[in-house]
């Protein structure tokens, strides 16, 4: 797909998801927060779920955590216009509670389709929910952050870089410092040749989804894990 086709395909998919009613969150949302940024981005960030401001504005990471994300990007010479930002859930959970397994299961096809259309070089997962979903592994963010992993997403091998969630960085200066250090590795990861041999396990398969959902149920996921 060339840049024009990719932008059109993403726009069309955004229009389709705007009326999604696959889970109960559709009843309480102001709007679906599809994601924003460059359709041609090599780098895609995946957060958790829209909060109050995101639900109001229809754009991910526009609150305080988003401002930290902007500063972290600026620190490596990037802006939002250079990347694409999305979330595991496209609709706001009430009171900003954690995503529920059935919500993740209902919404994950949207994220996988986005990644399939975007064909990024690198997916940076922000926090536990995105990391566990896209890695298909139960290991928490504290353990895996900063170590890139290769995964098969949308039929392609993609490098996944687990990072702390910016909201955790707002609460704990040590986490903010770790985030800065992990972000500094991103330019090098982006310049690596794309992984060639896709691992067999595909994120988004029914088995994968079931494992991620039961894991989410089993442990009380939080931003640190
Ligand atoms: N936190 C997230 O994970 N996503 C947003 O869009 C905003 C805050």
């Amino acid at each position: 797909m060339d840049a024009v086709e990719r932008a059109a395909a993403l726009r069309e998919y955004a229009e389709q998801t705007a009326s999604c009613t696959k889970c109960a969150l559709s009843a309480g949302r102001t709007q679906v927060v599809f994601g924003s940024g460059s359709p041609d981005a090599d780098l895609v960030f995946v957060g958790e779920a829209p909060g109050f401001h995101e639900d109001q504005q229809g754009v991910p990471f526009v609150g305080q955590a988003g401002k930290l994300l902007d500063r972290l990007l600026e620190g490596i010479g990037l802006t939002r216009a250079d990347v694409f930002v999305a979330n595991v859930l496209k609709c706001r959970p009430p009171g900003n509670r954690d995503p529920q397994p059935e919500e993740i299961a209902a919404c994950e096809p949207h994220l996988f389709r986005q990644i399939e259309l975007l064909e990024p070089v690198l997916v940076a997962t922000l926090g536990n929910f995105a990391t566990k979903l896209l890695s298909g592994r139960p290991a928490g963010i504290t353990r895996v952050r900063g170590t890139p992993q290769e995964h098969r997403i949308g039929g392609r091998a993609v490098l996944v870089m687990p990072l702390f969630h910016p909201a955790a960085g707002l609460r704990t200066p040590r986490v903010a410092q770790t985030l800065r250090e992990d972000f500094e590795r991103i330019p090098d990861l982006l310049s690596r040749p794309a992984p060639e041999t896709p691992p067999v396990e595909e994120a988004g398969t029914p088995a994968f989804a079931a494992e991620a959902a039961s894991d989410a149920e089993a442990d009380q996921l939080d931003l640190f894990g």
Side-chain angles (χ1 to χ4, degrees):
M1 246 191 285
D2 66 26
V4 175
E5 287 167 343
R6 198 192 305 279
L10 265 179
R11 205 167 33 245
E12 190 184 326
Y13 194 60
E15 280 161 17
Q16 279 173 33
T17 56
S19 55
C20 179
T21 52
K22 279 165 130 193
C23 83
L25 294 181
S26 57
R29 72 178 177 228
T30 305
Q31 57 195 313
V32 169
V33 182
F34 179 74
S36 70
S38 168
D40 257 341
D42 287 336
L43 172 58
V44 171
F45 288 90
V46 181
E48 183 176 311
F52 175 82
H53 297 288
E54 289 79 18
D55 173 70
Q56 294 289 310
Q57 296 180 39
V59 178
F61 283 97
V62 290
Q64 286 308 309
K67 296 205 175 7
L68 177 53
L69 178 61
D70 289 345
R71 290 197 296 277
L72 289 162
L73 282 171
E74 197 187 318
I76 55 169
L78 296 176
T79 70
R80 288 285 188 106
D82 299 312
V83 304
F84 195 91
V85 182
N87 283 306
V88 169
L89 295 188
K90 309 291 185 234
C91 297
R92 182 190 181 210
N96 298 345
R97 63 152 169 73
D98 281 352
Q100 301 297 296
E102 63 277 13
E103 294 160 359
I104 296 172
C107 208
E108 65 179 33
H110 295 322
L111 178 62
F112 291 127
R113 181 71 183 136
Q114 284 179 307
I115 295 173
E116 194 176 19
L117 291 170
L118 286 160
E119 297 187 308
V121 172
L122 181 66
V123 174
T125 52
L126 301 171
N128 255 323
F129 285 92
T131 300
K132 292 184 179 188
L133 180 63
L134 292 179
S135 70
R137 296 179 188 157
I141 191 65
T142 305
R143 201 140 45 97
V144 299
R145 58 129 282 277
T147 305
Q149 311 170 358
E150 273 182 33
H151 291 289
R152 189 180 156 110
I153 306 172
R156 289 173 61 251
V158 180
L159 206 55
V160 172
M161 176 63 156
L163 300 169
F164 280 129
H165 194 288
L170 290 176
R171 290 202 288 266
T172 314
R174 185 182 50 79
V175 170
Q177 179 55 28
T178 303
L179 262 171
R180 280 190 288 275
E181 289 164 12
D182 288 346
F183 261 69
E184 276 166 19
R185 302 198 41 218
I186 286 178
D188 174 54
L189 295 176
L190 282 172
S191 67
R192 281 191 195 180
E196 272 173 26
T197 315
V200 176
E201 189 180 320
E202 167 100 23
T205 60
F208 178 98
E211 189 188 318
S214 73
D215 172 58
E217 211 158 28
D219 79 18
Q220 276 304 306
L221 295 175
D222 59 23
L223 294 168
F224 291 97

